[in-house]
């Protein structure tokens, strides 16, 4: 049911079966296999926070995330400040500043957005690539506890 994984020198536990019984939600921290061409066999699993669901339109205004033209109010997403859409971004986000989440995909952002390689660069993650919901961090000991 639970499986350890590595996350930038952090050790977490994920529930591999969570998305067999539940739909993804904005704010979930997920382990996933990145889509092609981002996939790297040496880093087969990424961990990020879901910020957009299929059909959503996302935009960033002064560091704040908007979903379907409404500021995201769900904690902790509402308290995070995101970097803008990078110059290296591809697709629709690069020019318009808006990102449309394709059907059967989710958008994921890293909480440390200035250093995160995420959906702002390469688009959606197919829902079938989700490998579980991260539920608990046990390393480093100073950050042990439930992941939210």
């Amino acid at each position: 049911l639970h499986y350890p994984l590595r996350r930038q020198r952090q050790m977490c536990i994920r529930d591999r079966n969570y998305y067999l019984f539940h739909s993804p939600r904005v704010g979930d921290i997920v382990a996933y296999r990145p889509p092609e061409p981002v996939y790297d066999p040496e880093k087969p699993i990424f961990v990020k926070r879901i910020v957009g669901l299929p059909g959503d339109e996302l935009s960033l205004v002064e560091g704040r995330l908007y979903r379907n033209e409404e500021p995201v109010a769900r904690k902790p997403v509402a308290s995070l400040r995101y970097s803008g859409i990078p110059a290296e971004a591809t697709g629709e986000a690069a020019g318009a500043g808006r990102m449309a989440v394709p059907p059967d995909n989710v958008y994921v952002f890293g909480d440390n957005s200035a250093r995160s390689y995420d959906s702002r660069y390469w688009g959606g993650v197919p829902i079938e690539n989700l490998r579980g919901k991260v539920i608990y961090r046990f390393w480093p000991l100073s950050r042990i506890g439930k992941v939210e």
Side-chain angles (χ1 to χ4, degrees), residues 55-123:
D56 284 349
E57 183 177 278
L58 305 174
S59 59
L60 294 167
V61 178
E62 296 178 5
R64 185 154 178 117
L65 178 64
Y66 285 74
R67 181 175 166 237
N68 302 321
E69 299 183 16
E70 296 287 328
V72 174
R74 181 173 161 78
K75 290 185 178 183
V77 177
S79 64
L80 297 172
R81 293 293 174 254
Y82 293 101
S83 297
I85 297 168
E88 300 85 21
T90 59
E92 169 176 352
R98 295 184 181 270
M99 300 162 275
V101 183
D104 301 317
N105 279 248
V106 295
Y107 262 45
V108 295
F109 285 6
D111 288 353
N112 182 3
S113 76
R115 295 178 172 233
S116 182
Y117 187 53
D118 54 32
S119 290
R120 292 170 300 150
Y121 286 90
W122 38 261

Side-chain angles (χ1 to χ4, degrees), residues 7-95:
R7 181 179 177 242
Q8 294 182 345
R9 296 178 296 282
Q10 295 183 31
M11 296 294 289
C12 301
I13 297 173
R14 66 179 166 160
D15 181 343
R16 294 191 301 180
N17 295 317
Y18 187 85
Y19 293 113
L20 295 176
F21 305 103
H22 304 278
S23 296
R25 296 182 334 183
V26 169
D28 286 356
I29 297 178
V30 295
Y32 64 94
R33 180 177 179 202
E36 301 293 340
V38 179
Y39 179 74
D40 178 353
E42 292 186 28
K43 298 177 190 172
I45 301 292
F46 284 19
V47 175
K48 305 271 185 231
R49 185 180 305 276
I50 293 177
V51 296
L53 301 173
D56 284 349
E57 183 177 278
L58 305 174
S59 59
L60 294 167
V61 178
E62 296 178 5
R64 185 154 178 117
L65 178 64
Y66 285 74
R67 181 175 166 237
N68 302 321
E69 299 183 16
E70 296 287 328
V72 174
R74 181 173 161 78
K75 290 185 178 183
V77 177
S79 64
L80 297 172
R81 293 293 174 254
Y82 293 101
S83 297
I85 297 168
E88 300 85 21
T90 59
E92 169 176 352

